[in-house]
Every structure is written in structure tokens, then in C-alpha cells.
Amino acid sequence: MTVDNKKAKRKPGGGRKKSKPDYNPSAILQNQIEQAVALYRTEEHPSLQTIANELDLNSIKVRKLLITAGVYKSDVADQVNRVFNKHRASGLLHTEAIAATMRELNLSIASVTSYLPYEKGVYFPAETDSSNISVGAERIRRMRKREKILEELRIEQSEEALWAAVIEFQGYKFRTYSGLVFSYSLKKGRCRGNTESGVVNKQDEACKQGGVYTKELFIDRRENSKSLAWSSVLLAYHNIPQIGCVIDRPKALGDIRGVTYIYAIFYRFGLIDAPEKAKEKMELVRNKDSEQMSFV
């Protein structure tokens, strides 16, 4: 029997197919830069953490995006880039220049790289006007509204202000004490009269706009997740010793069903603070349930 040793000719398009053929990290990064710049250039000039919360990113990642766009300035960033560029100009490779910058400034590799711009697949013209970046327009409006509502909540410290914040943060990606990502949604029910003082008129107005929200938060972290009762949220709210104080763990708010989720919501709302170790998990660099990835 004769054996044909000639290799079969490879067919065009053959080989292993990409698991995500439409995935384009450069496009994702470009989109993140544009959105971060659009938010950063608003009149309020929000903090890095505020932008990070809105974009579901880490504040360090946001800073790196803004450095890449050339809109973020600081003494440390300027110094790191000046020293790094000096070593690159001397003929050192990228990794060698980073190492040399680390030694000269006595910084860790993470610190050095976090202050350097992204180099691959990024194009951001200096003349780009943030007002023309359509992808950021809606986020700017939403961020302004959310921050205003949270400010009113921290000033008024009322159940009504808390409910307004809950309505506004539907779909927002929170992180639990252990770092698990979740969001919630509300459902609208039939319009019925309410005897609570000051609520009836608002419900009448809401009915005209399509109904009122029921007092249940539907958690979407798991397929069969149960709802979170508004009464449980209020119970935990009234168990906060002082607005903004550090609560060591979720159970410190009470033996309440769904308190893990409530703790995360209250932390984002600024009603409570968390221990430093918990913050590391509640403010992750990468959100595994999102297509947004960290390139830090």
C-alpha cells in the first residue's frame, strides 16, 4: 500500500475558529477611553471613583484611560512618563524602560504601569470634542442624576429619598462583600391609592406615566434568585448607627434576609463604609459578568 506523504492543502478559513469572532479588545478600549473622557470633561469634573462607578471599572483603570487620552495631569503621572520616556529614548526596550523607571523612582511595577498610557490599538485625536462623543452623552446625564439623588439621600436621610435612589440604580452592577457581581430590577404594578402622607400625588403622576413600582427588588445574580423585600431594606437602613460609618460585615446590619445585597447597595449609596479588605473585593479591576475588561 502506498502512502501519500504530501500534506493536505489547507482550506481557506480553516483551522480553529475564534470563540468570540466579534470580540475586539482595541475597540472596547477605545470605547472606554471616549466614555471616560466624556464624563471627565463635564462641568462638575467628577472624581475618578465616580467615573469608575458609572463605567463599572476600577478607578486606576479610569486614570490610565484619561492619561492615554492626554486629559489627566498630576505631578506623579508627569514624573513617571518623563523618566520612562527618557529611558525609552536611550534605546531601552519597553519592559527595560519600565524596570529602569521603577529603580529610579523607587516604585513598584504596578505603580509605574498604571501611570503610563496604553500604546496598542488606541487612537484618540486631541481635537475631539467631548460634546460630540455620543456614547458618553447618556452616561453623563445618568451619572449627574444619580449623584444628585445620592446627595439628596445623604442630606435628607429619609425613606422616600432612599426609594428614589433605589429606583434610579436599577441595572447598576453592584458587588457584594465577597466580590460577587449583581444588579436588581423593579416591576410596575397596578395603580392603587396610598394613604401614606405625601405619596398619593406622586403615585397619581406615576400612574399617568405607566404605573408605579412595587416595593420589591428582583436580584439577577442567579437564575432563580428571589426578590428582596422593601421592608428588609428599611429594617437594615434603620439599623445604621450613623450615616457613613464603617460596618464590619453585612450581618452587622441585622439578621435580615438578603442583607448581603443590601450591604452592597448601601455602600454604593454612601450610607455606610466598608473595611479596607472588603473594599478590595467590592471594587474589582475586572467585572467577570461584563464585556468590559481591565487592561491594567
Side-chain angles (χ1 to χ4, degrees):
M1 183 178 67
T2 59
V3 178
D4 188 0
N5 292 325
K6 292 183 179 180
K7 293 183 179 180
K9 194 172 183 179
R10 189 174 183 273
K11 296 181 179 179
R16 184 177 179 180
K17 294 184 178 180
K18 295 181 179 180
S19 58
K20 295 182 179 181
D22 297 329
Y23 176 71
N24 187 336
S26 295
I28 292 175
L29 181 59
Q30 180 69 41
N31 184 51
Q32 289 176 343
I33 290 176
E34 293 176 353
Q35 294 184 67
V37 171
L39 294 173
Y40 188 70
R41 284 180 172 173
T42 57
E43 293 179 1
E44 293 86 353
H45 201 58
S47 66
L48 295 180
Q49 188 58 57
T50 299
I51 297 174
N53 290 336
E54 185 61 35
L55 297 181
D56 192 30
L57 297 172
N58 181 273
S59 59
I60 296 177
K61 170 68 179 289
V62 170
R63 183 179 65 195
K64 192 174 179 72
L65 293 171
L66 296 175
I67 289 174
T68 303
V71 300
Y72 179 87
K73 302 293 182 181
S74 74
D75 293 339
V76 177
D78 292 343
Q79 184 182 32
V80 169
N81 278 273
R82 184 172 59 254
V83 174
F84 174 79
N85 291 331
K86 178 187 70 175
H87 291 301
R88 284 287 281 163
S90 69
L92 295 181
L93 298 176
H94 187 273
T95 54
E96 295 173 338
I98 290 178
T101 303
M102 290 168 54
R103 291 191 296 270
E104 184 169 337
L105 299 180
N106 194 26
L107 295 173
S108 66
I109 185 172
S111 295
V112 172
T113 55
S114 69
Y115 282 105
L116 295 177
Y118 292 109
E119 292 189 340
K120 297 181 179 179
V122 178
Y123 173 68
F124 196 88
E127 65 273 11
T128 299
D129 185 355
S130 61
S131 62
N132 293 327
I133 301 176
S134 59
V135 293
E138 181 59 32
R139 286 187 180 274
I140 291 173
R141 289 191 292 269
R142 185 172 59 190
M143 182 187 68
R144 286 174 173 171
K145 187 176 181 181
R146 282 177 171 172
E147 292 306 314
K148 182 179 180 181
I149 286 178
L150 292 184
E151 182 180 358
E152 292 175 352
L153 169 60
R154 290 188 285 266
I155 293 174
E156 295 181 15
Q157 298 183 22
S158 66
E159 294 181 6
E160 187 176 5
L162 176 59
W163 179 243
V166 168
I167 292 176
E168 188 60 34
F169 275 81
Q170 293 180 81
Y172 180 88
K173 291 188 188 311
F174 297 89
R175 295 184 177 87
T176 66
Y177 188 87
S178 59
L180 299 176
V181 179
F182 75 95
S183 61
Y184 65 79
S185 61
L186 302 173
K187 295 182 179 180
K188 288 187 176 181
R190 294 179 180 178
C191 294
R192 295 177 180 176
N194 194 317
T195 59
E196 293 182 17
S197 175
V199 177
V200 176
N201 291 336
K202 290 186 177 181
Q203 282 201 336
D204 290 342
E205 184 65 27
C207 286
K208 296 178 182 179
Q209 298 177 1
V212 294
Y213 288 111
T214 59
K215 294 297 182 74
E216 273 186 306
L217 286 70
F218 293 89
I219 309 298
D220 71 352
R221 194 179 76 80
R222 294 173 180 169
E223 184 177 351
N224 298 320
S225 290
K226 297 181 179 180
S227 63
L228 182 62
W230 175 240
S231 58
S232 298
V233 177
L234 289 182
L235 181 58
Y237 175 67
H238 290 297
N239 285 341
I240 300 175
Q242 183 178 356
I243 298 299
C245 69
V246 176
I247 304 296
D248 292 334
R249 62 191 188 285
K251 288 291 185 181
L253 291 173
D255 188 12
I256 304 170
R257 182 178 176 274
V259 72
T260 299
Y261 300 123
I262 298 173
Y263 184 96
I265 294 170
F266 284 1
Y267 173 73
R268 174 62 185 91
F269 287 0
L271 297 176
I272 63 173
D273 201 357
E276 290 301 322
K277 289 185 178 180
K279 289 181 181 180
E280 295 176 2
K281 295 180 180 179
M282 298 176 77
E283 298 175 1
L284 297 178
V285 175
R286 173 178 175 176
N287 177 0
K288 294 181 180 179
D289 290 354
S290 169
E291 290 185 355
Q292 292 179 325
M293 294 182 60
S294 171
F295 290 76
V296 174

mmCIF file of all heavy atoms in Angstrom, residues 156-174:
data_model
loop_
_atom_site.group_PDB
_atom_site.id
_atom_site.type_symbol
_atom_site.label_atom_id
_atom_site.label_comp_id
_atom_site.label_asym_id
_atom_site.label_seq_id
_atom_site.Cartn_x
_atom_site.Cartn_y
_atom_site.Cartn_z
ATOM 1 N N GLU A 156 -31.126 64.393 53.236
ATOM 2 C CA GLU A 156 -32.463 64.200 53.804
ATOM 3 C C GLU A 156 -32.518 63.007 54.761
ATOM 4 O O GLU A 156 -33.209 63.050 55.771
ATOM 5 C CB GLU A 156 -33.473 63.991 52.678
ATOM 6 C CG GLU A 156 -33.665 65.194 51.773
ATOM 7 C CD GLU A 156 -34.692 64.919 50.689
ATOM 8 O OE1 GLU A 156 -35.442 63.923 50.806
ATOM 9 O OE2 GLU A 156 -34.753 65.700 49.724
ATOM 10 N N GLN A 157 -31.809 61.925 54.393
ATOM 11 C CA GLN A 157 -31.811 60.701 55.195
ATOM 12 C C GLN A 157 -33.240 60.233 55.480
ATOM 13 O O GLN A 157 -33.607 59.941 56.618
ATOM 14 C CB GLN A 157 -31.037 60.911 56.496
ATOM 15 C CG GLN A 157 -29.579 61.254 56.281
ATOM 16 C CD GLN A 157 -28.798 61.401 57.565
ATOM 17 O OE1 GLN A 157 -29.184 60.876 58.613
ATOM 18 N NE2 GLN A 157 -27.677 62.116 57.510
ATOM 19 N N SER A 158 -34.030 60.172 54.425
ATOM 20 C CA SER A 158 -35.428 59.765 54.555
ATOM 21 C C SER A 158 -35.687 58.501 53.744
ATOM 22 O O SER A 158 -34.929 58.163 52.821
ATOM 23 C CB SER A 158 -36.352 60.882 54.064
ATOM 24 O OG SER A 158 -36.188 61.099 52.667
ATOM 25 N N GLU A 159 -36.771 57.814 54.083
ATOM 26 C CA GLU A 159 -37.142 56.602 53.358
ATOM 27 C C GLU A 159 -37.525 56.931 51.918
ATOM 28 O O GLU A 159 -37.246 56.156 51.000
ATOM 29 C CB GLU A 159 -38.303 55.914 54.067
ATOM 30 C CG GLU A 159 -37.932 55.366 55.449
ATOM 31 C CD GLU A 159 -39.099 54.665 56.127
ATOM 32 O OE1 GLU A 159 -40.159 54.516 55.469
ATOM 33 O OE2 GLU A 159 -38.959 54.274 57.297
ATOM 34 N N GLU A 160 -38.152 58.066 51.721
ATOM 35 C CA GLU A 160 -38.558 58.467 50.380
ATOM 36 C C GLU A 160 -37.339 58.725 49.495
ATOM 37 O O GLU A 160 -37.315 58.342 48.314
ATOM 38 C CB GLU A 160 -39.432 59.718 50.444
ATOM 39 C CG GLU A 160 -40.019 60.094 49.085
ATOM 40 C CD GLU A 160 -40.964 61.281 49.190
ATOM 41 O OE1 GLU A 160 -41.075 61.858 50.283
ATOM 42 O OE2 GLU A 160 -41.585 61.622 48.166
ATOM 43 N N ALA A 161 -36.311 59.372 50.064
ATOM 44 C CA ALA A 161 -35.085 59.638 49.301
ATOM 45 C C ALA A 161 -34.356 58.335 48.993
ATOM 46 O O ALA A 161 -33.755 58.172 47.928
ATOM 47 C CB ALA A 161 -34.180 60.575 50.088
ATOM 48 N N LEU A 162 -34.414 57.391 49.933
ATOM 49 C CA LEU A 162 -33.790 56.081 49.718
ATOM 50 C C LEU A 162 -34.491 55.338 48.582
ATOM 51 O O LEU A 162 -33.836 54.740 47.723
ATOM 52 C CB LEU A 162 -33.841 55.257 51.005
ATOM 53 C CG LEU A 162 -33.301 53.821 50.922
ATOM 54 C CD1 LEU A 162 -31.842 53.814 50.478
ATOM 55 C CD2 LEU A 162 -33.457 53.117 52.265
ATOM 56 N N TRP A 163 -35.806 55.401 48.552
ATOM 57 C CA TRP A 163 -36.571 54.735 47.494
ATOM 58 C C TRP A 163 -36.272 55.360 46.131
ATOM 59 O O TRP A 163 -36.153 54.652 45.130
ATOM 60 C CB TRP A 163 -38.055 54.812 47.794
ATOM 61 C CG TRP A 163 -38.930 54.175 46.755
ATOM 62 C CD1 TRP A 163 -39.863 54.786 45.970
ATOM 63 C CD2 TRP A 163 -38.940 52.793 46.364
ATOM 64 N NE1 TRP A 163 -40.460 53.891 45.117
ATOM 65 C CE2 TRP A 163 -39.911 52.654 45.334
ATOM 66 C CE3 TRP A 163 -38.237 51.674 46.769
ATOM 67 C CZ2 TRP A 163 -40.191 51.440 44.717
ATOM 68 C CZ3 TRP A 163 -38.502 50.452 46.154
ATOM 69 C CH2 TRP A 163 -39.470 50.340 45.142
ATOM 70 N N ALA A 164 -36.099 56.666 46.084
ATOM 71 C CA ALA A 164 -35.759 57.344 44.832
ATOM 72 C C ALA A 164 -34.409 56.856 44.314
ATOM 73 O O ALA A 164 -34.221 56.659 43.104
ATOM 74 C CB ALA A 164 -35.724 58.857 45.043
ATOM 75 N N ALA A 165 -33.465 56.640 45.224
ATOM 76 C CA ALA A 165 -32.144 56.129 44.833
ATOM 77 C C ALA A 165 -32.243 54.696 44.329
ATOM 78 O O ALA A 165 -31.601 54.318 43.347
ATOM 79 C CB ALA A 165 -31.189 56.213 46.018
ATOM 80 N N VAL A 166 -33.062 53.896 44.988
ATOM 81 C CA VAL A 166 -33.256 52.500 44.576
ATOM 82 C C VAL A 166 -33.823 52.441 43.160
ATOM 83 O O VAL A 166 -33.381 51.645 42.325
ATOM 84 C CB VAL A 166 -34.188 51.766 45.568
ATOM 85 C CG1 VAL A 166 -34.630 50.420 44.995
ATOM 86 C CG2 VAL A 166 -33.474 51.552 46.899
ATOM 87 N N ILE A 167 -34.778 53.296 42.864
ATOM 88 C CA ILE A 167 -35.370 53.336 41.520
ATOM 89 C C ILE A 167 -34.320 53.707 40.473
ATOM 90 O O ILE A 167 -34.226 53.096 39.411
ATOM 91 C CB ILE A 167 -36.538 54.347 41.472
ATOM 92 C CG1 ILE A 167 -37.709 53.842 42.311
ATOM 93 C CG2 ILE A 167 -36.984 54.593 40.028
ATOM 94 C CD1 ILE A 167 -38.868 54.818 42.402
ATOM 95 N N GLU A 168 -33.500 54.704 40.796
ATOM 96 C CA GLU A 168 -32.529 55.215 39.830
ATOM 97 C C GLU A 168 -31.402 54.231 39.538
ATOM 98 O O GLU A 168 -30.817 54.239 38.455
ATOM 99 C CB GLU A 168 -31.947 56.539 40.339
ATOM 100 C CG GLU A 168 -31.063 57.259 39.342
ATOM 101 C CD GLU A 168 -31.798 57.602 38.060
ATOM 102 O OE1 GLU A 168 -33.008 57.898 38.116
ATOM 103 O OE2 GLU A 168 -31.159 57.556 36.982
ATOM 104 N N PHE A 169 -31.067 53.360 40.485
ATOM 105 C CA PHE A 169 -29.925 52.457 40.318
ATOM 106 C C PHE A 169 -30.315 51.068 39.814
ATOM 107 O O PHE A 169 -29.541 50.124 39.943
ATOM 108 C CB PHE A 169 -29.147 52.333 41.636
ATOM 109 C CG PHE A 169 -28.134 53.431 41.820
ATOM 110 C CD1 PHE A 169 -28.519 54.676 42.287
ATOM 111 C CD2 PHE A 169 -26.789 53.229 41.517
ATOM 112 C CE1 PHE A 169 -27.596 55.703 42.455
ATOM 113 C CE2 PHE A 169 -25.858 54.238 41.681
ATOM 114 C CZ PHE A 169 -26.266 55.484 42.153
ATOM 115 N N GLN A 170 -31.477 50.952 39.208
ATOM 116 C CA GLN A 170 -31.837 49.682 38.583
ATOM 117 C C GLN A 170 -30.838 49.351 37.475
ATOM 118 O O GLN A 170 -30.469 50.215 36.690
ATOM 119 C CB GLN A 170 -33.235 49.774 37.974
ATOM 120 C CG GLN A 170 -34.357 49.923 38.963
ATOM 121 C CD GLN A 170 -35.700 49.994 38.265
ATOM 122 O OE1 GLN A 170 -36.269 48.966 37.883
ATOM 123 N NE2 GLN A 170 -36.205 51.195 38.074
ATOM 124 N N GLY A 171 -30.405 48.102 37.426
ATOM 125 C CA GLY A 171 -29.475 47.671 36.389
ATOM 126 C C GLY A 171 -28.025 47.977 36.677
ATOM 127 O O GLY A 171 -27.133 47.534 35.934
ATOM 128 N N TYR A 172 -27.757 48.717 37.737
ATOM 129 C CA TYR A 172 -26.368 49.037 38.093
ATOM 130 C C TYR A 172 -25.688 47.784 38.640
ATOM 131 O O TYR A 172 -26.288 47.013 39.369
ATOM 132 C CB TYR A 172 -26.355 50.152 39.141
ATOM 133 C CG TYR A 172 -24.968 50.572 39.579
ATOM 134 C CD1 TYR A 172 -24.277 51.555 38.889
ATOM 135 C CD2 TYR A 172 -24.353 49.979 40.679
ATOM 136 C CE1 TYR A 172 -23.006 51.942 39.287
ATOM 137 C CE2 TYR A 172 -23.086 50.362 41.086
ATOM 138 C CZ TYR A 172 -22.417 51.341 40.390
ATOM 139 O OH TYR A 172 -21.159 51.720 40.777
ATOM 140 N N LYS A 173 -24.437 47.579 38.288
ATOM 141 C CA LYS A 173 -23.705 46.398 38.741
ATOM 142 C C LYS A 173 -23.045 46.675 40.098
ATOM 143 O O LYS A 173 -22.035 47.374 40.169
ATOM 144 C CB LYS A 173 -22.658 45.989 37.711
ATOM 145 C CG LYS A 173 -23.241 45.436 36.425
ATOM 146 C CD LYS A 173 -22.144 44.889 35.544
ATOM 147 C CE LYS A 173 -22.631 44.501 34.162
ATOM 148 N NZ LYS A 173 -23.780 43.687 34.086
ATOM 149 N N PHE A 174 -23.622 46.119 41.144
ATOM 150 C CA PHE A 174 -23.069 46.215 42.490
ATOM 151 C C PHE A 174 -22.152 45.024 42.731
ATOM 152 O O PHE A 174 -22.166 44.045 41.985
ATOM 153 C CB PHE A 174 -24.190 46.195 43.537
ATOM 154 C CG PHE A 174 -25.135 47.346 43.457
ATOM 155 C CD1 PHE A 174 -26.266 47.274 42.649
ATOM 156 C CD2 PHE A 174 -24.921 48.504 44.190
ATOM 157 C CE1 PHE A 174 -27.158 48.331 42.576
ATOM 158 C CE2 PHE A 174 -25.805 49.568 44.128
ATOM 159 C CZ PHE A 174 -26.924 49.481 43.314
#
